[in-house]
Amino acid sequence: MVDEGVYKFNPIIFAAIFIAFVFYTGLFSIKEDDDSFVSLVKLTDVKIIEGIVSGSPVKTHKGNNYLVNIIPSKVTSKNGIESSCKGKIPVLLKASAVEAYFPDKLFSKSNTSGAILCDNGANLKITGSYLLNAKLFSMNKVEQLDWSNNWTGVINHFRATTRLEFRRLLCAWGDAGGFLLALLAGMKEYTNIALYENFQKSGLSHILALSGMHLSLFSGISFFFLKNITGKRIASIINIFVIIIFVWFVGKSPSLIRALIFSLVSMFFSIFNIKNKDFFTIFSLSFLIHCGLFPKDIFNIGFILSYGALLGIILFSCFFEKIIICSLPHKISSSVASSISAQVFTAPVCLFSFGYFPIVGILSTVIISPFVNIFIYVGLFLVVLCFCFPICVPIGEFILKIIYNVIENFAYIFACFPCIKI
């Protein structure tokens, strides 16, 4: 996959190597954005916060609360003093409020007061107190305020309601629907806990973390249907908007942003027929663009693992494939070689960051990934079918459950293998 002649004096690759060297050796540090809270009222004296939700809420490990960042517009002190403010405040919201609209959840079956539609762009009024030891604001009461009437508010509200309806549709399919929801939209509230833990032990966490695999699947499906209607060139252009909408819907993460930038750069090269395009150049250019747009991602573990895995595939997949192809068919050897190559670069990072590395990750990825791909393709088809014909929902659940059971059983088997620990 690596053509040495292409890279001898390639300024893009040289720039990427230089930037990586400068930041990861500590020669240059990134200045943190000043998101600290600024107001006439001390944060420890704040009783009421009014502001906009930034990003989607993240459920805590115990599951009783959700953590979310609030961009406050106004705060009120315990003495009733109001003040404008700026910055961000991490807020702990009760699950009873966030999940009140979620289907088939404990709190959705009660008449819980203070129910909110909590997603990016939501306008909330939160009453509570600041926990100095935890450095976050804990709610006692929350109230939903009107969404902003500008175009961003309208779009954010549409996204939040669409994601809610998506939950309601897939919730009807039980654990299989919850797994599909995590794969399609990154929402893990309905993912079976045992399956999630087995995926971690089996070295399959990257499958549940939305990344290049998911983006490639959606891009491939979109391009397949569009090229027969509009032709390849126009289909490639339309496909750009399709993958951007997908990332907008599921929410950004370093690994997904990496996949998006890589896809956009690849499409740009293809649309304009740029010669001498190669994966290493596209990889390097994507890295530079990502560092320029989101410099804080550089030290994010998801960023490092995502780029490390892709770099390993680019550099070593051909080498390992030549070794393996003697004993396995080409398609299988290619998949195994890519998996081994990705593990070469990510294993040291996992050991250093998490203290363990599943040695069975190569085998589990090669075996389970095809079933996951089939699960996604079948799931997407059934979502469209059941949306048009609701009577097919039980049939959809039955079909998905068969594939889900295969994945679940394999994950359990691989989770029993030992892992390297430090």
Side-chain angles (χ1 to χ4, degrees):
M1 188 175 288
V2 178
D3 183 1
E4 293 181 1
V6 178
Y7 308 135
K8 283 185 178 178
F9 301 103
N10 191 319
I12 296 177
I13 296 175
F14 176 80
I17 294 173
F18 176 76
I19 291 296
F21 175 80
V22 166
F23 284 109
Y24 290 125
T25 57
L27 294 177
F28 189 84
S29 60
I30 298 173
K31 184 180 179 181
E32 293 288 335
D33 293 338
D34 189 10
D35 292 334
S36 57
F37 176 77
V38 178
S39 174
L40 294 176
V41 177
K42 291 183 179 180
L43 195 51
T44 52
D45 294 332
V46 171
K47 182 180 179 181
I48 301 174
I49 299 173
E50 293 184 26
I52 304 295
V53 174
S54 176
S56 299
V58 178
K59 200 167 190 177
T60 58
H61 182 69
K62 292 183 178 180
N64 298 323
N65 300 283
Y66 281 80
L67 186 63
V68 66
N69 284 319
I70 299 291
I71 303 175
S73 57
K74 183 175 71 173
V75 294
T76 305
S77 71
K78 299 172 183 177
N79 298 324
I81 301 174
E82 295 183 354
S83 173
S84 59
C85 51
K86 68 175 185 178
K88 286 184 180 179
I89 304 175
V91 176
L92 204 61
L93 300 175
K94 294 179 181 177
S96 57
V98 177
E99 296 182 350
Y101 290 127
F102 288 7
D104 200 33
K105 285 289 186 179
L106 174 64
F107 307 112
S108 63
K109 297 177 180 179
S110 64
N111 296 319
T112 304
S113 60
I116 56 172
L117 180 57
C118 185
D119 214 324
N120 187 62
N123 194 9
L124 304 179
K125 180 179 180 181
I126 308 163
T127 303
S129 58
Y130 188 77
L131 305 178
L132 189 60
N133 58 336
K135 295 184 179 180
L136 51 80
F137 191 85
S138 179
M139 70 154 279
N140 293 324
K141 179 182 176 183
V142 64
E143 178 184 348
Q144 185 105 46
L145 302 179
D146 292 335
W147 290 68
S148 176
N149 291 325
N150 57 29
W151 66 271
T152 55
V154 172
I155 292 176
N156 284 328
H157 184 254
F158 173 77
R159 176 180 179 271
T161 52
T162 304
R163 283 163 60 89
L164 180 61
E165 292 302 321
F166 204 58
R167 284 185 177 96
R168 289 174 176 168
L169 173 63
L170 296 185
C171 176
W173 290 339
D175 287 342
F179 183 54
L180 184 62
L181 185 64
L183 294 173
L184 297 182
M187 295 181 278
K188 302 181 179 67
E189 297 94 343
Y190 297 89
T191 305
N192 184 286
I193 296 176
L195 179 69
Y196 184 81
E197 292 177 348
N198 287 338
F199 263 56
Q200 288 183 315
K201 296 175 183 178
S202 305
L204 297 167
S205 297
H206 60 282
I207 291 179
L208 286 175
L210 293 179
S211 58
M213 183 193 79
H214 305 81
L215 199 66
S216 298
L217 284 174
F218 281 92
S219 177
I221 294 171
S222 171
F223 184 77
F224 175 79
F225 288 104
L226 288 172
K227 70 177 181 180
N228 297 321
I229 302 174
T230 62
K232 290 185 177 180
R233 190 178 183 86
I234 298 178
S236 296
I237 297 174
I238 298 175
N239 211 27
I240 292 175
F241 295 97
V242 172
I243 63 176
I244 290 175
I245 291 173
F246 169 73
V247 174
W248 164 79
F249 179 75
V250 302
K252 65 179 183 179
S253 65
S255 58
L256 198 57
I257 292 296
R258 191 277 306 162
L260 174 62
I261 295 174
F262 190 91
S263 298
L264 293 179
V265 172
S266 300
M267 289 179 185
F268 178 84
F269 276 46
S270 298
I271 291 171
F272 293 97
N273 295 319
I274 298 177
K275 297 180 179 180
N276 296 326
K277 59 183 179 181
D278 57 87
F279 284 111
F280 207 173
T281 301
I282 295 173
F283 170 87
S284 301
L285 183 56
S286 301
F287 177 80
L288 292 172
I289 294 173
H290 196 158
C291 291
L293 294 176
F294 307 100
K296 289 198 299 183
D297 283 353
I298 293 176
F299 297 104
N300 181 281
I301 187 64
F303 177 97
I304 296 172
L305 288 174
S306 181
Y307 277 97
L310 185 57
L311 181 60
I313 292 172
I314 293 173
L315 294 177
F316 300 117
S317 62
C318 284
F319 170 76
F320 285 115
E321 189 173 352
K322 289 178 182 178
I323 298 174
I324 301 171
I325 200 170
C326 300
S327 55
L328 294 172
H330 173 68
K331 288 186 177 181
I332 298 177
S333 65
S334 177
S335 179
V336 175
S338 296
S339 182
I340 295 174
S341 302
Q343 301 285 349
V344 167
F345 266 54
T346 57
V349 179
C350 290
L351 282 171
F352 180 78
S353 301
F354 309 126
Y356 72 95
F357 177 74
I359 56 178
V360 75
I362 297 172
L363 182 61
S364 62
T365 298
V366 171
I367 293 178
I368 293 183
S369 286
F371 288 103
V372 172
N373 290 344
I374 294 172
F375 185 81
I376 292 175
Y377 284 128
V378 174
L380 280 172
F381 172 76
L382 291 174
V383 166
V384 176
L385 178 66
C386 294
F387 182 80
C388 299
F389 306 100
I391 196 173
C392 297
V393 169
I395 300 175
E397 180 184 6
F398 175 77
I399 296 173
L400 273 186
K401 189 67 176 178
I402 295 175
I403 310 173
Y404 174 81
N405 285 337
V406 174
I407 297 172
E408 185 180 37
N409 289 330
F410 270 124
Y412 173 77
I413 293 171
F414 288 124
C416 296
F417 282 71
C419 64
I420 301 174
K421 294 182 180 181
I422 58 174

